[in-house]
């Protein structure tokens, strides 16, 4: 039986015009869209307008009607609604200095508090130096930092590394709570985790704009970060976002954001690891599962400080993943 038709809003990445298109399958929508926008079917694909997520057939079936989609031709890319903002800024980039100066003149005579804030925010945003990376190109951004930091990515990498090292110290410090007979095994797991962290540079690559493929896992175009909301929500209700590369104030504010463990580090992950080592009874502890929960985006959400709930999440580790089968070695006779 054919899938019932559902309506969607479709546009290309080269312009703002939207079209209503109905389809019952991803393939059908792609075919109709290519005819409508005169794009070749081979190599074309559909993604969400909001964040650029590319659609699969199963993802398509879960979309609500009237979802806004972008049809991409071969070689085209879409980075979410930030792409529209970039296009808008580029349109008057050559006039930016004039816009800032005009806003400053208005601000000197403005008395209404709300309009004052709008004008001040406009000046602040247009005066940002987002694309600058090196210290000599944005000296104000580096005010108050140690002289050893020569570019923005190096400082943000350092901040991320420091946070990961702090998590590692907490795991190591828990050893006094581990059963004495299991402490050597616990130390062995700590060593394995530490080696893995060192091999990936303490995940500092997430904040390196020069390593785009890795950085893209956490940040969007040109360093924008979005709050992923409280652990029990799918998104941030206040739509918090920030670009720590833009100016000194944003860099300082970003330091107050939290990496929230969804399955809590202190209440769940570390105690479960200690218990797993104690009761392993010849089984091999799946330390890489615990590593993922402690140090990777599998269990970490970037949240604005106002969205960081300190209450108990009441979530636990997956009992089926705590142990794994030992690798068997076969002798050749």
């Amino acid at each position: 039986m054919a899938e019932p038709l559902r309506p969607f809003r479709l546009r290309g990445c080269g312009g703002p015009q939207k079209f209503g298109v109905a389809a019952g399958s991803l393939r059908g929508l792609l075919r109709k869209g290519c005819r409508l926008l005169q794009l070749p079917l081979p190599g074309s694909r559909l993604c969400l307008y909001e964040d650029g997520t590319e659609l699969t057939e199963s993802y398509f079936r879960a979309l609500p009607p009237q979802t806004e989609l972008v049809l991409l031709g071969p070689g085209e890319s879409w980075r979410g609604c930030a792409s529209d903002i970039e296009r808008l800024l580029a349109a008057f980039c050559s006039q930016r200095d004039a816009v800032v100066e005009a806003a400053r003149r208005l601000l000197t005579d403005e008395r209404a508090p709300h309009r004052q804030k709008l004008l001040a925010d406009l000046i602040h945003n247009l005066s940002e130096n987002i694309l600058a990376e090196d210290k000599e190109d944005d000296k104000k951004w580096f005010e108050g930092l140690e002289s050893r930091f020569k570019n923005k990515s190096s400082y943000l990498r350092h901040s991320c590394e420091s946070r990961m090292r702090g998590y590692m110290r907490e795991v190591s410090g828990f050893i006094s709570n581990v059963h004495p007979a299991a402490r050597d095994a616990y130390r062995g797991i700590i060593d394995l985790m530490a080696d893995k962290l060192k091999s990936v540079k303490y995940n500092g690559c997430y904040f390196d704009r020069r390593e785009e493929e890795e950085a893209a896992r956490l940040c969007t175009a040109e360093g924008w970060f979005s709050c992923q909301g409280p652990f029990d929500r799918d998104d941030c209700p206040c739509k918090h976002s920030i670009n720590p590369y833009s100016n000194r104030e944003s860099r300082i504010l970003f330091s107050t954001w939290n990496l929230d463990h969804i399955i809590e580090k202190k209440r769940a992950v570390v105690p479960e690891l200690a218990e797993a080592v104690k009761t392993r009874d010849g089984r091999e502890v799946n330390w890489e599962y615990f590593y993922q929960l402690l140090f990777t985006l599998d269990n970490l959400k970037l949240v604005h400080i106002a969205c960081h709930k300190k209450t108990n999440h009441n979530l636990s580790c997956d009992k089926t993943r705590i142990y794994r089968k030992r690798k068997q070695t076969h002798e050749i006779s």
Side-chain angles (χ1 to χ4, degrees):
M1 180 182 294
E3 293 286 341
L5 299 180
R6 291 182 296 141
F8 296 93
R9 290 176 292 159
L10 186 65
R11 55 174 284 182
C13 71
Q17 187 176 8
K18 301 172 188 176
F19 303 90
V21 181
S25 67
L26 176 62
R27 184 70 179 175
L29 183 59
L30 188 60
R31 189 181 299 110
K32 289 183 179 181
C34 286
R35 282 202 303 265
L36 182 65
L37 298 179
Q38 297 183 341
L39 290 173
L41 184 60
S44 293
R45 58 207 188 281
L46 287 161
C47 68
L48 293 181
Y49 167 79
E50 184 177 357
D51 61 10
T53 301
E54 191 168 328
L55 300 189
T56 62
E57 192 68 55
S58 59
Y59 195 1
F60 169 80
R61 287 195 293 270
L63 291 176
Q66 300 298 341
T67 298
E68 187 168 347
L69 305 173
V70 178
L71 177 61
L72 302 174
E76 292 181 329
S77 63
W78 183 259
R79 297 181 293 187
C81 53
S83 296
D84 265 350
I85 296 171
E86 287 176 353
R87 186 179 296 112
L88 175 63
L89 292 175
F92 69 90
C93 185
S94 60
Q95 303 297 321
R96 185 174 63 178
D97 292 343
V99 173
V100 170
E101 183 56 34
R104 284 193 174 122
R105 286 199 302 269
L106 286 171
L107 190 58
T108 59
D109 297 325
E110 185 56 64
R111 294 294 179 267
H114 183 62
R115 282 197 290 264
Q116 279 184 332
K117 185 178 187 308
L118 288 175
L119 288 168
D121 287 347
L122 175 64
I123 293 171
H124 175 77
N125 291 332
L126 291 181
S127 300
E128 291 176 343
N129 199 357
I130 293 174
L131 296 180
E133 171 68 11
D134 298 326
K135 188 172 185 177
E136 57 266 25
D137 297 325
D138 194 355
K139 292 181 180 179
K140 187 175 181 180
W141 192 93
F142 291 85
E143 288 180 4
L145 299 182
E146 297 177 37
S147 59
R148 63 190 173 104
F149 298 114
K150 304 301 181 184
N151 57 62
K152 295 178 181 180
S153 292
S154 67
Y155 172 72
L156 291 169
R157 279 200 311 272
H158 167 77
S159 298
C160 180
E161 291 170 9
S162 297
R163 193 168 299 196
M164 295 298 166
R165 290 176 189 271
Y167 295 162
M168 190 72 246
R169 284 193 295 271
E170 289 183 57
V171 179
S172 300
F174 196 80
I175 196 167
S176 59
N177 299 299
V178 178
H179 190 279
R183 286 178 183 171
D184 285 344
Y186 188 84
R187 288 191 187 94
I189 288 176
I190 290 174
D191 290 341
L192 290 170
M193 289 183 174
D195 289 342
K196 188 172 180 66
L197 268 178
K198 290 175 184 176
S199 71
V200 294
K201 301 177 182 178
Y202 292 87
N203 290 329
C205 58
Y206 293 147
F207 295 89
D208 193 334
R209 292 196 292 185
R210 290 170 179 168
E211 296 185 32
E212 295 179 3
E213 186 176 344
E214 286 293 331
R217 292 185 62 197
L218 188 59
C219 61
T220 57
E222 299 300 346
W224 280 98
F225 293 81
S226 297
C227 174
Q228 296 171 294
F231 76 94
D232 56 351
R233 290 181 60 95
D234 292 329
D235 55 14
C236 166
C238 299
K239 305 301 180 187
H240 297 118
S241 64
I242 194 170
N243 190 328
Y245 298 93
S246 61
N247 53 51
R248 179 173 178 269
E249 290 76 15
S250 295
R251 185 255 296 169
I252 294 171
L253 182 60
F254 188 61
S255 67
T256 68
W257 285 43
N258 290 300
L259 276 173
D260 189 16
H261 285 86
I262 304 169
I263 302 175
E264 295 171 281
K265 175 178 78 273
K266 291 182 179 179
R267 289 191 177 107
V269 181
V270 178
E272 188 70 64
L273 173 60
E275 182 65 19
V277 173
K278 174 187 172 184
T279 59
R280 66 191 187 280
D281 192 26
R283 293 172 292 181
E284 183 178 355
V285 175
N286 186 6
W287 67 269
E288 289 178 321
Y289 169 60
F290 289 99
Y291 175 92
Q292 290 172 353
L293 295 180
L294 290 166
F295 303 111
T296 76
L297 299 181
D298 290 351
N299 192 47
L300 284 168
K301 295 181 72 173
L302 184 64
V303 294
H304 185 280
I305 189 171
C307 293
H308 187 206
K309 293 189 176 181
K310 299 290 187 179
T311 56
N312 195 327
H313 294 185
N314 294 316
L315 298 173
S316 58
C317 301
D318 183 349
K319 299 293 186 182
T320 66
R321 301 185 64 188
I322 290 175
Y323 299 102
R324 63 185 177 192
K325 292 181 179 180
R326 292 184 179 275
K327 294 180 180 178
Q328 296 182 351
T329 57
H330 301 279
E331 293 184 2
I332 300 175
S333 57

